[in-house]
Amino acid sequence: EAQVTQNPRYLITVTGKKLTVTCSQNMNHEYMSWYRQDPGLGLRQIYYSMNVEVTDKGDVPEGYKVSRKEKRNFPLILESPSPNQTSLYFCASSFGGSEQPQHFGDGTRLSIL
Amino acid sequence: DAKTTQPTSMDCAEGRAANLPCNHSTISGNEYVYWYRQIHSQGPQYIIHGLKNNETNEMASLIITEDRKSSTLILPHATLRDTAVYYCIVRVALYGETSGSRLTFGEGTQLTVNP
């Protein structure tokens, strides 16, 4: 089944404790991205990747890192999480090409205390 | 980026057609109109997209006006499972037609399908 898989789905942690949210897709997509969703602000893009070893900042990259060492994986890293990063996170992927629809994972709900 | 305007909420009776409008008066000639929906904090789900012509798939129909300044998503026979927030998005191409691009989500329309 074609899908985007995020792990973990839920995480409660404390300020400053490094964490990684994994994202994997099995559709051989070139393009992957991370979004966060907050009430009243909609979905905002954090980082995106056009292909392996090619990443760039989205609209709200501060406090986050990403890497794209393999085509299928695009982990989101919070080196020193803070409470303002408490949010619902989504990973998405698509084939290259501006008209290609994006496929989203089921989301990761992070709570930073 | 071209911005979109959607009603905050709409209601529809089960089994009837749901018509969701979207205004995108500043759309550029090479920008597509996309529709996604999100069911209660699940990942957004792609529905349909189009450039100029009307489009139809197994989920919905998309009607784009001739001047492309507005569009309507039609769910022909709404069911309770169609209750969701529907997002109309104009897609910005970052590097040209061979590259990916970001999606800018607004607040969308909360569609409630009633029994």
Side-chain angles (χ1 to χ4, degrees):
Chain A
E1 181 188 348
Q3 58 185 2
V4 178
T5 304
Q6 297 179 225
N7 279 297
R9 294 291 314 281
Y10 304 90
L11 178 64
I12 301 173
T13 188
V14 296
T15 299
K17 185 176 181 181
K18 180 180 178 180
L19 67 91
T20 299
V21 184
T22 63
C23 174
S24 179
Q25 50 90 7
N26 61 0
M27 295 167 279
N28 202 36
H29 286 165
E30 293 89 5
Y31 183 84
M32 298 185 75
S33 65
W34 277 102
Y35 295 84
R36 61 177 289 175
Q37 186 173 31
D38 303 286
L41 297 175
L43 275 88
R44 296 176 291 169
Q45 191 181 54
I46 303 170
Y47 268 94
Y48 64 94
S49 170
M50 309 293 276
N51 215 322
V52 176
E53 302 293 0
V54 181
T55 63
D56 209 343
K57 297 176 180 178
D59 298 318
V60 288
E62 294 77 22
Y64 304 94
K65 286 176 58 178
V66 293
S67 68
R68 188 89 182 276
K69 293 182 170 54
E70 305 166 282
K71 196 172 188 179
R72 63 182 292 128
N73 296 322
F74 190 46
L76 180 69
I77 303 158
L78 285 71
E79 294 270 4
S80 183
S82 62
N84 64 12
Q85 293 177 297
T86 292
S87 186
L88 179 58
Y89 292 83
F90 292 103
C91 179
S93 72
S94 70
F95 288 113
S98 59
E99 78 284 6
Q100 296 297 323
Q102 292 190 20
H103 300 260
F104 284 80
D106 288 333
T108 296
R109 189 170 291 279
L110 288 183
S111 294
I112 316 295
L113 305 178
Chain B
D1 296 3
K3 299 184 74 170
T4 61
T5 305
Q6 300 177 251
T8 302
S9 63
M10 294 182 64
D11 286 285
C12 177
E14 188 177 20
R16 303 297 294 270
N19 297 288
L20 291 90
C22 179
N23 287 320
H24 32 78
S25 58
T26 60
I27 192 169
S28 299
N30 61 351
E31 290 179 319
Y32 289 81
V33 179
Y34 283 77
W35 284 85
Y36 284 75
R37 72 181 182 184
Q38 188 174 22
I39 299 172
H40 188 57
S41 296
Q42 296 178 18
Q45 178 188 23
Y46 165 77
I47 302 173
I48 198 168
H49 74 283
L51 184 62
K52 295 180 183 177
N53 301 319
N54 299 336
E55 303 287 344
T56 296
N57 63 20
E58 65 278 5
M59 290 183 68
S61 295
L62 173 61
I63 309 298
I64 302 175
T65 57
E66 193 167 342
D67 63 7
R68 301 206 332 120
K69 293 185 177 182
S70 65
S71 60
T72 301
L73 178 74
I74 301 173
L75 307 177
H77 306 286
T79 71
L80 300 179
R81 288 176 295 180
D82 292 321
T83 292
V85 178
Y86 286 78
Y87 297 98
C88 169
I89 298 162
V90 174
R91 188 140 186 196
V92 177
L94 286 171
Y95 298 112
E97 294 183 358
T98 58
S99 303
S101 61
R102 70 176 181 271
L103 294 172
T104 301
F105 286 76
E107 290 305 306
T109 296
Q110 171 66 58
L111 175 69
T112 302
V113 181
N114 300 304

